[in-house]
């Protein structure tokens, strides 16, 4: 498998794994002027790739030794294989072949703690390890993804020219930025996917309300979404929904979406986001609701059976016209979407503080403006919010975003009440509203929760009038018993007094 002679030792990047994403990224890199050496576990796949792209600056290799030898130093090797154990095995194979200063890049959806571990282990051998979040699907990989690298800042200079060349571009520049050391890039990509879960669920709920309450036909909803995409809701996912809703089944002539089984799949990054949120103590209820909604959708047989036996007391609203409904759902979707971004960005901020990543929050919003799945007009005000206050604790306290939510709040509440009255599930919209109400509430009822925890488990609590002092414990049940005894004594005294009189 001979490479072109002038590419044998001058390859600027090595790519391991020639699946859809690996192949498209390799093509993207080569197209921007960087020779690439490719390797796949199946040599035949490498041969077919090279054959399809004759005349381009690609070199191939049948063995890893040959592959490594053909990548110029410092070697930059992008691993595009299944996450988990396969990545560790590949690192084990590559390690003895590499030299100090070489850079391994994991471009898959790896758990960020695995990336942190790998970076630490390889640093002991003088090697650099980057976790690279890649968003945009196969089209993005080929023509411009959003890239989220995390790793050694000194080594990033060797990756920056390539990554900036192949990344998507917005009016704010290339959609790539060094996000922090070790697992920062993969953590940000994980949260991107969590926000994606929430956003897709919100759009699905809006669609459901328009068809079941408003009685709109599929093609009419497509038109509504297309119109929404001209305003503040403009985003890749709204545009995509509008297009999907226009497709008709060639066999039946019906809207094809109506024939899609309502059982959603998931690959795990949404669940990872929830695990990280629990560990960091950050509420992400909209993302959680979206993950739960997919799990519930998978229980198709149970739901069909339950629909036949569980009758709820519901009432479809009367007196609300299609125009009013569309406007209300629009505002509810906008407000809930802002809350979803607020949850995701708060989670990234918490991780940055925990792991000392010093993530620049503005840069996250900037590199998500193009190329990635959650690209949206909303990211401009999010970026501007962090320009105003780089240490912003939550997007909901930014003046502009708070104004947008407050402007939409009444419609959001009407939409939630309407859906619940009609028995239409809106877990993401409703949980977003609960998050908004909880976050703006100074005094929550968890004082009772803490009192109960201390009463049954001696978990202790802090006094509201002395919050900076150490936690205390109270013998609640003994005091409650004394209180009942005093009440009984007073009642007995009153009875005696009445008898004596």
């Amino acid at each position: 498998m001979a490479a072109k002679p002038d590419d044998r030792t001058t390859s600027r990047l090595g790519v391991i794994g020639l699946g859809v994403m690996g192949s498209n990224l390799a093509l993207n890199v080569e197209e921007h002027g960087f020779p690439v050496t490719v390797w796949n576990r199946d040599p035949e796949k490498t041969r077919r790739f090279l054959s399809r792209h004759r005349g381009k600056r690609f070199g191939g290799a049948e063995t890893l030794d040959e592959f490594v030898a053909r990548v110029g130093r410092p070697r930059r090797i992008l691993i595009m294989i299944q996450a988990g154990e396969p990545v560790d095995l590949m690192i084990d194979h590559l390690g003895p072949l590499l030299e100090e200063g070489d850079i391994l890049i994991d471009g898959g959806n790896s758990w960020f703690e695995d990336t942190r571990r790998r970076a630490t282990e390889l640093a002991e051998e003088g090697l650099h390890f980057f976790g690279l979040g890649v968003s945009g699907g196969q089209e993005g990989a080929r023509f411009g993804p959003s890239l989220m690298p995390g790793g050694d800042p000194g080594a990033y200079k060797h990756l920056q020219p390539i990554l900036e060349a192949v990344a998507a571009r917005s009016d704010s520049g290339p959609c790539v930025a060094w996000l922090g050391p070790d697992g920062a890039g993969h953590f940000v990509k994980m949260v991107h996917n969590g926000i994606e879960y929430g956003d897709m669920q919100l759009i699905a709920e809006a669609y459901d309300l328009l068809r079941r309450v408003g009685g709109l036909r599929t093609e009419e909803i497509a038109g509504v979404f297309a119109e929404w995409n001209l305003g503040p809701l403009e985003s890749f996912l709204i545009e995509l929904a509008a297009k999907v809703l226009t497709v008709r089944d060639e066999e039946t002539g019906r809207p094809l979406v109506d024939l899609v089984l309502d059982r959603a799949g998931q690959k795990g990054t949404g669940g990872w986001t929830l695990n990280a949120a629990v560990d960091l103590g950050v509420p992400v209820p909209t993302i959680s609701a979206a993950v739960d909604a997919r799990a519930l959708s998978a229980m198709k047989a149970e739901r069909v059976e339950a629909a036949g036996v569980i009758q709820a007391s519901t009432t479809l609203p009367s007196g609300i016209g299609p125009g009013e409904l569309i406007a209300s759902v629009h505002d509810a979707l906008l407000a809930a979407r802002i809350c979803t971004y607020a949850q995701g960005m708060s989670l990234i901020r918490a991780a940055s503080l925990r792991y000392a990543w010093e993530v620049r929050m503005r840069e996250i919003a900037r590199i998500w403006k193009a190329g990635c799945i959650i690209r949206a007009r909303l990211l401009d005000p999010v970026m501007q919010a962090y320009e105003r206050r780089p240490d912003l604790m939550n997007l909901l306290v930014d003046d502009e975003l708070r104004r947008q939510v407050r402007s939409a709040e009444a419609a959001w509440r009407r939409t939630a009440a309407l859906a619940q009255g009609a028995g239409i599930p809106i877990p993401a919209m409703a949980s977003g509203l609960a998050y908004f109400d909880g976050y703006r509430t100074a005094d929550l009822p968890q004082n009772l929760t803490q009192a109960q925890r201390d009463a049954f488990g001696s978990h202790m609590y802090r006094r509201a009038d002395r919050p900076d002092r150490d936690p205390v414990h109270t013998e609640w049940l003994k005091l409650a018993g004394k209180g009942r005894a005093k009440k009984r004594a007073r009642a007995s005294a009153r009875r005696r007094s009445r008898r004596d009189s």
Side-chain angles (χ1 to χ4, degrees):
M1 189 184 305
K4 293 175 61 180
D6 61 338
D7 285 344
R8 296 183 71 88
T9 58
T10 58
S11 171
R12 297 288 298 278
L13 181 73
V15 176
I16 291 177
L18 291 174
V20 172
M21 292 296 287
S23 297
N24 281 347
L25 281 169
L27 289 167
N28 191 350
V29 171
E30 191 277 338
E31 196 169 81
H32 282 87
F34 302 97
V36 179
T37 299
V38 297
W39 183 88
N40 196 79
R41 183 176 59 178
D42 178 3
E44 183 57 34
K45 200 165 190 175
T46 306
R47 294 189 188 98
R48 288 197 301 269
F49 179 87
L50 294 174
S51 177
R52 284 196 302 269
H53 304 293
R54 294 183 185 277
K56 294 185 179 292
R57 287 165 292 185
F58 286 117
E62 292 199 2
T63 68
L64 280 177
D65 300 62
E66 182 184 4
F67 168 79
V68 169
R70 291 183 174 180
V71 181
R73 297 209 61 215
R75 298 182 181 92
R76 287 149 288 206
I77 297 176
L78 174 63
I79 302 172
M80 296 299 297
I81 62 178
Q82 182 181 346
E85 185 179 4
V87 176
D88 286 319
L89 292 174
M90 180 55 65
I91 291 172
D92 290 342
H93 290 310
L94 285 169
L97 307 177
L98 301 177
E99 301 174 71
E100 185 174 348
D102 287 349
I103 305 168
L104 290 179
I105 311 141
D106 176 11
N109 277 334
S110 290
W111 173 236
F112 81 99
E113 288 286 14
D114 285 343
T115 305
R116 297 184 71 232
R117 169 180 57 79
R118 291 161 183 156
T120 299
E121 293 171 352
L122 289 172
E124 294 173 356
E125 302 175 22
L127 302 174
H128 302 294
F129 188 78
F130 273 74
L132 177 66
V134 181
S135 181
Q138 62 187 53
E139 286 295 306
R142 178 65 183 87
F143 300 109
S146 174
L147 298 172
M148 294 154 260
D152 180 78
Y156 181 65
K157 66 184 179 183
H158 297 295
L159 303 180
Q160 188 172 0
I162 298 175
L163 298 183
E164 289 188 350
V166 303
R169 303 190 74 86
S170 75
D171 56 4
S172 298
C175 293
V176 59
W178 177 76
L179 296 178
D182 54 71
H186 273 152
F187 191 94
V188 170
K189 175 56 165 58
M190 176 191 73
V191 175
H192 165 283
N193 287 17
I195 294 172
E196 177 186 317
Y197 271 63
D199 205 8
M200 292 182 73
Q201 177 63 25
L202 289 169
I203 293 169
E205 291 172 14
Y207 156 76
D208 205 21
L209 286 167
L210 294 177
R211 67 171 178 167
R212 294 173 63 186
V213 176
L216 274 68
R217 299 187 306 276
T218 302
E219 56 270 26
E220 291 175 320
I221 301 174
V224 169
F225 281 3
E227 185 175 346
W228 284 357
N229 200 49
L230 301 176
L233 286 175
E234 178 190 357
S235 66
F236 169 72
L237 286 172
I238 289 287
E239 178 185 14
L240 182 65
K243 291 179 178 178
V244 163
L245 292 171
T246 65
V247 177
R248 289 194 169 271
D249 178 42
E250 294 182 356
E251 183 179 340
T252 66
R254 294 172 56 190
L256 184 56
V257 72
D258 293 350
L259 300 173
V260 175
L261 187 65
D262 59 332
R263 191 166 61 197
Q266 49 187 320
K267 291 188 176 180
T269 47
W272 285 358
T273 305
L274 302 188
N275 292 339
V278 170
D279 179 56
L280 291 165
V282 177
V284 290
T286 306
I287 298 170
S288 179
V291 173
D292 287 344
R294 293 196 189 189
L296 187 60
S297 78
M299 301 163 60
K300 177 66 173 180
E302 287 185 52
R303 290 188 290 112
V304 170
E305 182 176 347
V309 297
I310 302 175
Q311 304 299 322
S313 177
T314 61
T315 305
L316 284 173
S318 60
I320 180 170
E324 184 182 355
L325 176 66
I326 290 169
S328 290
V329 174
H330 171 281
D331 287 357
L333 179 55
L334 176 61
R337 173 180 269 182
I338 292 172
C339 279
T340 307
Y341 276 87
Q343 294 164 33
M345 299 301 262
S346 293
L347 181 56
I348 293 172
R349 180 175 182 270
S352 180
L353 292 172
R354 162 81 68 87
Y355 300 110
W357 287 334
E358 298 185 3
V359 175
R360 295 167 293 167
M361 303 299 290
R362 175 199 181 271
E363 285 296 89
I364 295 172
R366 185 188 68 76
I367 67 175
W368 285 350
K369 286 180 61 177
C372 71
I373 302 300
I374 64 170
R375 58 187 184 266
R377 183 182 295 192
L378 175 60
L379 285 161
D380 271 319
V382 170
M383 186 177 73
Q384 292 157 10
Y386 289 113
E387 288 174 350
R388 288 186 286 270
R389 286 183 58 185
D391 62 344
L392 186 68
M393 59 184 179
N394 191 293
L395 291 174
L396 292 178
V397 299
D398 173 72
D399 288 344
E400 172 57 24
L401 290 169
R402 185 175 69 249
R403 182 196 65 76
Q404 290 192 39
V405 174
R406 291 303 301 272
S407 177
E409 181 184 350
W412 194 7
R413 295 189 188 283
R414 284 195 305 272
T415 301
L418 180 154
Q420 291 173 351
I424 296 173
I426 53 163
M429 282 190 188
S431 64
L433 183 56
Y435 175 82
F436 171 73
D437 283 335
Y439 191 73
R440 68 175 186 83
T441 300
D443 295 308
L444 291 169
Q446 274 63 46
N447 56 322
L448 176 58
T449 303
Q450 280 299 91
Q452 287 181 303
R453 293 181 71 243
D454 189 49
F456 69 67
S458 300
H459 293 294
M460 308 185 77
Y461 65 95
R462 294 183 187 274
R463 290 181 60 100
D465 54 349
R466 298 191 287 272
D468 297 329
R469 296 191 185 180
D470 290 339
V472 297
H473 169 63
T474 295
E475 294 293 339
W476 296 88
L477 301 182
K478 289 182 180 179
L479 291 175
K482 288 180 181 179
R484 288 195 297 270
K486 288 179 180 179
K487 286 183 178 180
R488 287 195 297 270
R490 286 196 293 268
S492 178
R494 286 194 296 271
R495 287 195 296 271
R496 287 195 302 271
S497 176
R498 287 195 294 271
R499 284 198 303 270
D500 292 343
S501 62

